[in-house]
Amino acid sequence: MGDMTNSDFYSKNQRNESSHGGEFGCTMEELRSLMELRGTEAVVKIKETYGDTEAICRHLKTSPVEGLPGTAPDLEKRKQIFGQNFIPPKKPKTFLQLVWEALQDVTLIILEIAAIISLGLSFYHPPGESNEGCATAQGGAEDEGEAEAGWIEGAAILLSVICVVLVTAFNDWSKEKQFRGLQSRIEQEQKFTVVRAGQVVQIPVAEIVVGDIAQVKYGDLLPADGLFIQGNDLKIDESSLTGESDQVRKSVDKDPMLLSGTHVMEGSGRMVVTAVGVNSQTGIIFTLLGAGGEEEEKKDKKAKQQDGAAAMEMQPLKSAEGGDADDKKKANMHKKEKSVLQGKLTKLAVQIGKAGLVMSAITVIILVLYFTVDTFVVNKKPWLPECTPVYVQYFVKFFIIGVTVLVVAVPEGLPLAVTISLAYSVKKMMKDNNLVRHLDACETMGNATAICSDKTGTLTTNRMTVVQVYVGDVHYKEIPDPSSINAKTMELLVNAIAINSAYTTKILSPEKEGALPRQVGNKTECGLLGFVLDLKQDYEPVRSQMPEEKLYKVYTFNSVRKSMSTVIKMPDESFRMYSKGASEIVLKKCCKVLTGAGEPRVFRPRDRDEMVKKVIEPMACDGLRTICVAYRDFPSSPEPDWDNENDILSDLTCICVVGIEDPVRPEVPEAIRKCQRAGITVRMVTGDNINTARAIAIKCGIIHPGEDFLCLEGKEFNRRIRNEKGEIEQERIDKIWPKLRVLARSSPTDKHTLVKGIIDSTHTEQRQVVAVTGDGTNDGPALKKADVGFAMGIAGTDVAKEASDIILTDDNFSSIVKAVMWGRNVYDSISKFLQFQLTVNVVAVIVAFTGACITQDSPLKAVQMLWVNLIMDTFASLALATEPPTETLLLRKPYGRNKPLISRTMMKNILGHAVYQLTLIFTLLFVGEKMFQIDSGRNAPLHSPPSEHYTIIFNTFVMMQLFNEINARKIHGERNVFDGIFRNPIFCTIVLGTFAIQIVIVQFGGKPFSCSPLQLDQWMWCIFIGLGELVWGQVIATIPTSRLKFLKEAGRLTQKEEIPEEELNEDVEEIDHAERELRRGQILWFRGLNRIQTQIEVVNTFKSGASFQGALRRQSSVTSQSQDVANLSSPSRVSLSNALSSPTSLPPAAAGHPRGEGVP
């Protein structure tokens, strides 16, 4: 431990630790260095130093059974000496850092350079200034202010740049702040079970102190380091710390070390906490990372390191299947594949940027050529040395005009609009019970085409009640009268249920009068305990007589066993084992059954088949979950070999079979109907028996009698998708998934396989976008693989939450529908903004371009342009991005990846409005002075005062934009653009606010804004022309879009472009899942082929006229999809009507022995 001495010394000095040797029998350093040992080393060290774990508890002044006394002074003292269970977060970026980042924007840099050059030249007064013979256009009206006014333009550009930067930085800053607020809220909500003063309590993770006795159970994420005191069958996944995927079995005498950040995969137990916060294993790693590096985006501060080095090194070594779960570690919120919207936006921004550059270059070239030709060729002026500065000043002016054109062309508001829209949606989604962890998940959800949902707790209420029972050879359709059950059977039944279930599971009295009793712990076990209470019996006395410490051996539930068994020692030294689990599984192991008299009789396979037909299938068809309770007695000697599980779990005697109902949530059928109407397929993936699953699927409306669909069991599903060698084949999955609606008796791997199969499928025109819900630890891989993973906020384990994108705080399926609505709303908001923004851009660019070429001076000055850019961009993005969603969003199909961002209707609106605005502006530019009887502003010399003429043009331009903003509220060609406008107060405020500022600018803007005050009648005309926009909007809406075949769309993703070039090289794994199976050399070869194909496609598209083909392609995609569905024939088509009428028409595997059912 040589390397420890340094830090020991440091921490000794840091806090005065001389005292605490007397307080507790061990120091923080001793414990910390103890926790760094593993396995046998640790056991030896504990024996040498302390004796055993009991002794450590005595040293820490805690009791293994009672826990800490929990008094405030004691807890305080522990926090002071051993630290708090809190890892300090990374310092947020300061506002200045964010400002610096915002300044890196290319357009802004160009602007700054232009402004600085302009400023520099305005302060430079060359001697040849007075030389009249220098330049032609110098002769116009000059005034005394011209020399002073030169700097204004440069300064104004700089000012507007500062505005843009501050707005961007402030946005980032507030987003960061919100995120931290969310983070701390989530941390406060994260609780853990500890024993204090003999009471089991749940406390926030941050409150855990050294010496606490914590209860750990299946699915927990350990919040601190500790030593295992007592428990059964505890297995831990330590891959997040060690990188080894094997589960580690913990026991007091072999490996008692429990480390923070690791996951409990099965079993339960108690530990004494020995290190918390920065001294725990996770904390130490964090301190090394500088509090977690960039991984801040991760929500829970724990378990973050698993994205670290271990995962990176392992990556290339993992087999194709195994590595899958880790590939998608969502490091820093960025998935390999851009979200649909981001992809389209990037593409669009590039397209617009290129166009703008070309335009601005042409503008500058034309202006320079015109000037030189006019000055030196037409007027035959010689180039005088003293005139050089004047000429340079002209060229700078042309350069500034060019930059202005470029600035106007680039929609800087786009990133702003996206950020505002997402941030706003995420904030509002909190109210709809969606806690969004990754911003882009919100928008991806709008494109979802499939949802794979769990059954228990999501579609159902997760409040289990026993409604039917088969006991003593009688099948009771409701809870029987206790007197009708034999006393011996009753005693066995009560003991079997009370002892063989987690002692943390209880039924408590209701919180409010008249409410249902509260179910705490595992819901299925709650149902069984409730059954005991319904039989007028009580489970508490049984448990107090046989406390948890006395249980001889426990086989805990896991997804492989699908059953749970507990062995107890009887008073006569013999053993009895109680077992419960999925009825198909447990009944297979029964060879006796209790009769009505309470005596066991032989139970043959023939009897079992009859029982399945007469009892279990009818229960399952009522949508009940069937659970069999059984027992077995063992002699005291020879003691059985408890590790030989197969021999132990056989020769059971069945006590009873119960049917547990988990009622469907009342709002689920409606939510599922909405999904289906919105073009989203809902599939149910459950561990339940196929008949139960099918019955519930019908209740929910996932399947309708008479339709053509598949309900498969996990076994049958696997049989169909694997080839002879047992490998999964994508083509086989493609035959199944379009029809699959229910996957029953499925394991977590089946869920992952299904999700991966649907996502990788190229079977449909669009790539499927899949959302998945999950609550268990084992759902992690599927949640990560899905495009959007929903974890359950109440029932979900920490592991599931860590792997998810969105947490459903009320565990309710109908909240998913809300998420879809918000996702679509984000997409629409951004389309609205684009429609508005691009109209401004098209008009401004053309005005600046033609104006500059014809009159040598853009009618819209640089400053005015920037004002238009600033208000129009920033405020419009605020106004249009905060439109609340409406139910109508759920009436259309998802857009998918191939639908362009700017649809043909939007293109029609953009160009239509641009035509109106251009016509009016050019009319005003060339004949405006005659209409208003004012001086013409054309051909004004350098630095001349602003003219009324150009002010009217500027003002009209802004008025038209304002009214067009109202038009932009609708993008699907609706007529009523005012619909719901008052539901969005932000919109109204912004429109009125912009109008007010515009009045101020025109009337008092003066020289900096190149404005001269206007009279009232001129104002009226400007507003009148603006109002014309609304009328014109109606005219455009009348033109049918289908006639305008020539309009192109923009911002469209094709299949090939989902992964940008740079990322191809970055991670070979992610190219395409089919290719991943091939070796690297083949991948390179495929990549080459892919690129050639893309190029050929591009060439062909150009040859055949892109736009027409685009139109055809979209129409054909719709038809081909419907054909695909029709052509799908699968080996076993189960149509529901037959399936329900006779269980025999099931496919062979389904009627055979289905795979095990889970009793948690």
Side-chain angles (χ1 to χ4, degrees), residues 857-884:
D857 184 9
S858 170
L860 295 170
K861 297 286 181 290
V863 186
Q864 296 174 347
M865 279 299 197
L866 285 160
W867 158 239
V868 169
N869 243 357
L870 203 71
I871 50 159
M872 298 308 169
D873 278 17
T874 316
F875 292 137
S877 63
L878 248 179
L880 293 167
T882 50
E883 290 270 314

Side-chain angles (χ1 to χ4, degrees), residues 81-277:
I81 293 175
F82 297 111
Q84 292 184 318
N85 194 20
F86 168 69
I87 295 171
K90 189 178 110 246
K91 279 215 275 295
K93 283 187 178 151
T94 59
F95 191 68
L96 287 176
Q97 278 169 311
L98 292 170
V99 167
W100 177 245
E101 278 175 19
L103 277 170
Q104 311 299 313
D105 187 54
V106 185
T107 28
L108 290 183
I109 294 174
I110 297 178
L111 273 177
E112 286 153 27
I113 295 171
I116 290 165
I117 295 178
S118 164
L119 273 176
L121 285 165
S122 71
F123 289 126
Y124 171 54
H125 297 306
E129 183 94 49
S130 55
N131 188 334
E132 284 300 308
C134 280
T136 47
Q138 199 83 351
E142 294 220 347
D143 75 335
E144 69 314 326
E146 59 91 12
E148 290 83 71
W151 59 272
I152 291 182
E153 203 152 294
I157 295 179
L158 279 183
L159 186 74
S160 54
V161 167
I162 291 169
C163 281
V164 173
V165 168
L166 289 180
V167 168
T168 320
F170 179 73
N171 247 354
D172 290 348
W173 180 77
S174 58
K175 195 171 87 183
E176 172 97 349
K177 199 166 121 221
Q178 269 178 2
F179 197 79
R180 280 175 188 274
L182 199 68
Q183 198 136 322
S184 58
R185 238 190 68 200
I186 287 158
E187 279 175 2
Q188 283 152 16
E189 281 170 9
Q190 220 187 343
K191 290 193 159 47
F192 207 78
T193 317
V194 297
V195 181
R196 285 197 177 162
Q199 292 291 316
V200 177
V201 288
Q202 288 223 323
I203 59 169
V205 169
E207 296 293 311
I208 294 178
V209 293
V210 171
D212 258 325
I213 303 295
Q215 290 196 345
V216 297
K217 58 181 186 313
Y218 166 76
D220 282 344
L221 178 66
L222 297 183
D225 293 355
L227 297 173
F228 184 55
I229 315 176
Q230 167 271 326
N232 29 56
D233 226 9
L234 192 67
K235 287 192 186 149
I236 304 268
D237 169 14
E238 294 190 346
S239 59
S240 60
L241 285 180
T242 59
E244 293 182 22
S245 53
D246 295 343
Q247 293 175 13
V248 187
R249 193 189 212 108
K250 298 290 175 184
S251 61
V252 181
D253 46 358
K254 292 204 180 60
D255 182 1
M257 314 307 271
L258 297 177
L259 307 173
S260 58
T262 58
H263 298 140
V264 182
M265 296 317 271
E266 64 178 81
S268 60
R270 293 211 300 266
M271 72 169 187
V272 56
V273 176
T274 54
V276 293

Side-chain angles (χ1 to χ4, degrees), residues 774-792:
D775 50 9
T777 303
N778 42 22
D779 289 328
L783 287 171
K784 278 209 164 133
K785 178 70 203 163
D787 294 285
V788 182
F790 285 92
M792 300 297 144

Side-chain angles (χ1 to χ4, degrees), residues 371-404:
F371 177 75
T372 41
V373 170
D374 189 53
T375 310
F376 303 119
V377 181
V378 182
N379 296 339
K380 301 195 171 54
K381 295 262 171 78
W383 180 295
L384 303 171
E386 64 269 26
C387 286
T388 308
V390 183
Y391 296 145
V392 171
Q393 220 166 352
Y394 267 104
F395 290 141
V396 170
K397 183 177 159 188
F398 299 150
F399 176 64
I400 288 183
I401 291 173
V403 173
T404 315

Side-chain angles (χ1 to χ4, degrees), residues 307 384 802 953 1065 1121 1159:
D307 287 8
L384 303 171
E802 185 61 32
I953 294 178
N1065 316 331
Q1121 267 176 353
V1159 178

Side-chain angles (χ1 to χ4, degrees), residues 344 348 351 838 899-903 907 1048-1052:
K344 292 180 180 177
L348 189 68
Q351 288 172 342
L838 292 178
K899 178 144 182 359
L901 197 55
I902 295 179
S903 62
M907 211 48 149
K1048 287 200 179 64
E1049 294 112 337
R1052 168 175 182 170

Side-chain angles (χ1 to χ4, degrees), residues 71 109 116 180 282 321 366 418 439 486 868 1009 1021 1036 1107 1114 1117 1152:
T71 56
I109 294 174
I116 290 165
R180 280 175 188 274
T282 307
E321 274 303 320
I366 291 182
V418 179
L439 268 184
N486 177 288
V868 169
F1009 280 98
W1021 274 106
I1036 295 179
S1107 47
R1114 234 164 333 286
S1117 77

